[in-house]
Every structure is written in C-alpha cells, then in structure tokens.
Amino acid sequence: MPTMEASLKNANRQPTRQLRLKRKIVGKEGGRVEQVKWGKDNQLLTLTSGASSLTSLLVWDAPSGIRTHLVIPVYSWLLASAIEQKEGTHVACGGLENICSVYKLESNQEHIEASVAELKQHDGYISDIKFFNGKDRILTASGDSECILWDVGTQTATEVFSGHDGDVTSISLSPTDPNVFVSGGVDNTVRVWDVRTDRILTASGDSECILWDVGTQTATEVFSGHSAENF
C-alpha cells in the first residue's frame, strides 16, 4: 500500500514528455484576443478587440505565423465569429448589433471591409455562429432565444428554431450527422435539433429528457431515470 508521502511525490513528478509551444502568433495591431478558431489547412481565425469598441477579424497561416487577411467588420461590439471549414474562403461575425456579417477572403486582397451578406432577423445579440456544412448556409444563436439557419446567397432565414426560454448561448454541429445540431442556453437546457424534422430532444436540470413536437409545442415522450440532475 503506497504511503501518502509517496503519492504526493508522484503527483508532483514532471511528465516524461513535455508539451512544446510550436509557435506564438502576435498581431502588430495588439488588442485582446476574444476568440480563436481553427479553419482549413492550418488557418487560424482570431477575433481581436482593441480600444473602445474597435474589433477586427484576423486570419493567420498557423505554421508560418503570417497574417493572410485583416477583416474590418461593419459593426462593432462583436461577440461571436466563425470560419468556413471546407474551403476556408469565408468568415462571419456578429454581436450586440443583432446582425451576422459574412465576408469573403479574397486571395489577392489582404484588407477586407465589404461584407458579402448581412443576415438580419434576430431581436437579440448574436451569441454564436457556425457555417452549416459549407459556405452557403450559416447557423446563428441569439439572445432572443432562437437559432436561425440562413441562406447566405439570398440573405434570408430558411429555418427558425424556437424553444429555449431564454438566451441561447452556444451551438454545435454534429460530427456524424450534417442535419443535427445542439443548442444550450440560460434556461438550463440543452436541445438537440434535426433540421429535417419538427421534433427536438431536451435535457435539463430536472433529471428528465423530453422529446417535443415543435409544431404543437407538446411533449410526446418523457425519459426519466436519472437519480440526480443531468447537469
């Protein structure tokens, strides 16, 4: 039986393999890095805030540490950003203006100020953004308690996902099914959505999971069994 002293020594022992810092990327513009996202082929997107409400999107080549694009957003007070994963040609951002702006990364243009789309329908701040399986569709989450799936080309909302009882703070796409995403909010629930159906699955702190019919807003199945809160 090991002694407490031996256990403490083992806990303080350094690992045999150290993590190594590969590269430190520093922007000349300075400012605080609010978000960082991986893109395609070692792209990095950083959402950087400067003095007052000034914000910018910077795209980097991670291996070299070279900045490839500087996007000056139309609106200030940004909270969320995203970079398209399949082609790496588009970025998006949004915040307190309730608008999601989309920009195209031109190969021959480092400084970008004009957006290719302005997605306007939310009545609350933009809290999270995801490109939805390519550059042509975007999913946004908002403080208005809704998620919206957009057609970027027409700048219109194609699906509105309502159900949260408060701000939606986070969304994530399924890694195995391109039609499924999850959302989480201040109402203490995580909701699983399938864009092909009118049903959602929610989990909450009351130890139950519920399958809902969105059209009728009624519970079709209740799954009980947890002995404590799900979160």
Side-chain angles (χ1 to χ4, degrees), residues 33-38 44-47 81:
V33 176
E34 304 288 353
Q35 291 186 347
V36 59
K37 306 284 180 70
W38 279 112
L44 275 181
L45 172 69
T46 59
L47 174 61
S81 62

Side-chain angles (χ1 to χ4, degrees), residues 6-67:
S7 297
L8 290 174
K9 286 183 178 179
N10 289 333
N12 293 327
R13 184 181 301 166
Q14 295 296 317
T16 56
R17 182 178 180 181
Q18 296 286 335
L19 294 177
R20 185 168 63 91
L21 177 66
K22 297 186 68 174
R23 179 171 295 278
K24 183 178 180 181
I25 299 175
V26 179
K28 295 180 180 179
E29 295 79 10
R32 184 174 64 186
V33 176
E34 304 288 353
Q35 291 186 347
V36 59
K37 306 284 180 70
W38 279 112
K40 181 179 182 291
D41 296 334
N42 290 319
Q43 285 177 309
L44 275 181
L45 172 69
T46 59
L47 174 61
T48 305
S49 65
S52 183
S53 63
L54 298 177
T55 52
S56 59
L57 294 171
L58 287 79
V59 182
W60 307 82
D61 175 69
S64 66
I66 296 175
R67 191 190 73 193

Side-chain angles (χ1 to χ4, degrees), residues 4-5 11 22 28 43 52-53 62 64 66 68 78 89 91 99 129 136 149:
M4 180 182 294
E5 182 179 0
K22 297 186 68 174
K28 295 180 180 179
Q43 285 177 309
S52 183
S53 63
S64 66
I66 296 175
T68 59
L78 300 180
T89 57
V91 296
I99 298 170
I129 302 170
D136 297 322
L149 185 62

Side-chain angles (χ1 to χ4, degrees), residues 3 5 7 10 20 24 28 44 50 80 92 96 104 112-113 116 123-124 136 143 151 161 163 173 188 193 196 200 203:
T3 65
E5 182 179 0
S7 297
N10 289 333
R20 185 168 63 91
K24 183 178 180 181
K28 295 180 180 179
L44 275 181
L96 296 183
K104 184 177 181 181
I112 300 170
E113 297 186 16
V116 296
D123 290 327
D136 297 322
D151 183 301
F161 303 93
L173 307 184
N188 300 332
W193 307 84
R196 299 164 297 185
I200 62 170

Side-chain angles (χ1 to χ4, degrees), residues 55-211:
T55 52
S56 59
L57 294 171
L58 287 79
V59 182
W60 307 82
D61 175 69
S64 66
I66 296 175
R67 191 190 73 193
T68 59
H69 296 87
L70 168 62
V71 179
I72 306 299
V74 177
Y75 303 102
S76 302
W77 306 110
L78 300 180
L79 303 174
S81 62
I83 183 167
E84 192 272 319
Q85 300 288 319
K86 290 187 176 181
E87 299 179 21
T89 57
H90 289 71
V91 296
C93 58
L96 296 183
E97 300 286 349
N98 307 346
I99 298 170
C100 177
S101 303
V102 186
Y103 300 85
K104 184 177 181 181
L105 304 177
E106 301 287 357
S107 58
N108 60 348
Q109 184 179 356
E110 181 182 352
H111 289 74
I112 300 170
E113 297 186 16
S115 63
V116 296
E118 296 291 324
L119 309 179
K120 305 176 183 180
Q121 183 167 313
H122 281 298
D123 290 327
Y125 65 92
I126 305 296
S127 59
D128 204 355
I129 302 170
K130 294 289 186 294
F131 279 90
F132 201 80
N133 307 311
K135 60 183 174 55
D136 297 322
R137 294 195 295 173
I138 278 182
L139 182 68
T140 56
S142 172
D144 63 6
S145 77
E146 294 182 339
C147 300
I148 296 181
L149 185 62
W150 303 85
D151 183 301
V152 175
T154 61
Q155 303 184 55
T156 57
T158 58
E159 297 280 350
V160 178
F161 303 93
S162 303
H164 281 281
D165 294 325
D167 301 22
V168 183
T169 56
S170 179
I171 49 178
S172 182
L173 307 184
S174 168
T176 57
D177 191 328
N179 297 295
V180 174
F181 73 94
V182 296
S183 61
V186 300
D187 58 354
N188 300 332
T189 67
V190 171
R191 297 171 183 259
V192 183
W193 307 84
D194 189 325
V195 300
R196 299 164 297 185
T197 71
D198 291 328
R199 296 196 299 172
I200 62 170
L201 180 68
T202 64
S204 70
D206 62 2
S207 76
E208 292 182 340
C209 297
I210 300 178
L211 186 64

